[in-house]
Amino acid sequence: MKPFKVPVVPASTITPEAIYQQRRTVLKAMGFTGLSALLGQAFANVAVAADGPLLYRPASAQAFTTSEALTPFEHVSGYNNFYELGMDKSDPSANAAQLQTTPWSVAIEGEVGKPGVFTLEDILKPHALEERIYRLRCVEAWSMVIPWIGFPLKDLLARFEPTAKAKFVAFESVFDPSHLIGQKNNTSGIHWPYVEGLRIDEAVHPLTILAVGLYGKILPNQNGAPLRLVVPWKYGFKSIKSIVKIRLQETQPQTTWNLLAPREYGFYANVNPAVDHPRWSQQSERRLPASLLRPNRIPTQMFNGYQEQVASLYNNMDLRVNF
Ligand code: MTE
């Protein structure tokens, strides 16, 4: 006789709606009622809970979700690029404890009316959290579907009153070489801290979010806790993790991978099956989880499938030149 096994529903078959409803049921059982009480609690959770549930609303528009199968949590949190925590895909989860996320503050600088250094709590307080189920496409030609929880970057920037000179947004990641192995023994050659940037119209696009969680929980450290960027129509390296500084400026910011290999990585980095990376064809991608026997190769979509939403940002631009 076979031993009885508790049936497990694979995460990939759970619909976003089901996750959301499940979360609501749990919260109800915990005694939370009323939306404002829920949201208030959400930010307390972000600030204090190590592994607590987040309170969020479902995606507010069709473009903010997808019916594609979600990539299981163990792949989303176990196959990562986070060079501060090591260069192999399994290093970031193995070394996750090296990232110290409390206390955390974010500096808002440059072309803004209200600059300053703010605690994570102050950064998050006014924002209602929303689920966004996005495709994440790495330039290494693998991809995932991730249920993020976050809020539009646009709403955060508006609070600090960008001036008319704010044409670009520069982001900077944590710098802590005493704890982070990738910064201590710098084998990657990256000039730390990791930096990224967006044009202002890209930064305020409704698809661009700051994420604080995934799969209903606060972000695992290896995914860029406590606050990371997610720009779903661009290659994953634009989605900078563990942000400590946001600077609005008149000039185009420098970006980590462009500094390291300018012929391989451009500033725009829009997902584009017609423009190959020198080392990886971009025509198709491996949708994770994949294996040698089940490569799960699918054609890559222009702008990672967000063409309808973002193509107009690049009218009259040669995307081969501005790769
Ligand atoms: N941000 C920082 N600070 N350091 C990094 O090494 N890697 C980038 C991006 N953000 C990276 C980073 C790359 S190459 C990718 S593909 C995504 O994070 C991966 O995000 P994930 O590990 O959450 O899937």
Side-chain angles (χ1 to χ4, degrees), residues 41-265:
Q41 187 64 26
F43 299 111
N45 279 333
V46 171
V48 301
D51 192 26
L54 279 174
L55 301 152
Y56 56 90
R57 59 188 183 199
S60 59
Q62 198 67 43
F64 300 161
T65 185
T66 167
S67 56
E68 288 160 272
L70 302 181
T71 303
F73 178 80
E74 63 264 33
H75 296 269
V76 174
S77 62
Y79 186 94
N80 300 99
N81 276 334
F82 196 0
Y83 279 53
E84 287 85 338
L85 294 173
M87 285 170 64
D88 288 343
K89 295 287 183 280
S90 57
D91 286 345
S93 54
N95 297 327
Q98 295 173 6
L99 179 66
Q100 317 283 305
T101 58
T102 45
W104 195 269
S105 58
V106 180
I108 314 278
E109 297 182 350
E111 293 296 339
V112 284
K114 295 179 169 173
V117 178
F118 304 91
T119 63
L120 181 65
E121 290 82 343
D122 284 341
I123 288 285
L124 300 182
K125 210 177 287 168
H127 301 284
L129 301 180
E130 179 174 324
E131 183 164 68
R132 298 288 182 99
I133 303 180
Y134 285 161
R135 292 172 288 277
L136 174 80
R137 171 62 157 80
C138 179
V139 72
E140 295 163 346
W142 52 264
S143 64
M144 301 192 191
V145 178
I146 303 179
W148 301 107
I149 297 171
F151 58 92
L153 174 61
K154 177 188 184 176
D155 295 347
L156 179 101
L157 296 179
R159 283 166 58 199
F160 301 97
E161 301 175 1
T163 73
K165 284 186 180 168
K167 301 282 195 293
F168 294 90
V169 186
F171 302 88
E172 197 173 299
S173 285
V174 59
F175 183 64
D176 183 10
S178 62
H179 293 106
L180 301 170
I181 187 147
Q183 294 181 335
K184 199 186 306 185
N185 340 321
N186 193 3
T187 43
S188 65
I190 287 178
H191 183 75
W192 305 107
Y194 193 102
V195 288
E196 256 306 335
L198 294 172
R199 228 170 47 188
I200 191 78
D201 57 344
E202 298 175 322
V204 302
H205 190 281
L207 282 169
T208 305
I209 59 163
L210 287 169
V212 295
L214 56 82
Y215 267 107
K217 292 185 177 184
I218 66 166
L219 277 180
N221 283 0
Q222 58 269 34
N223 292 94
L227 186 70
R228 66 147 329 147
L229 187 67
V230 181
V231 194
W233 72 94
K234 293 179 178 283
Y235 292 119
F237 65 85
K238 298 294 290 182
S239 291
I240 183 173
K241 296 177 168 182
S242 304
I243 295 169
V244 297
K245 192 185 284 185
I246 299 177
R247 184 181 171 81
L248 288 95
Q249 56 190 57
E250 203 165 6
T251 53
Q252 183 173 303
Q254 294 197 310
T255 59
T256 286
W257 289 100
N258 180 255
L259 285 168
L260 206 61
R263 284 183 309 158
E264 296 191 17
Y265 308 99

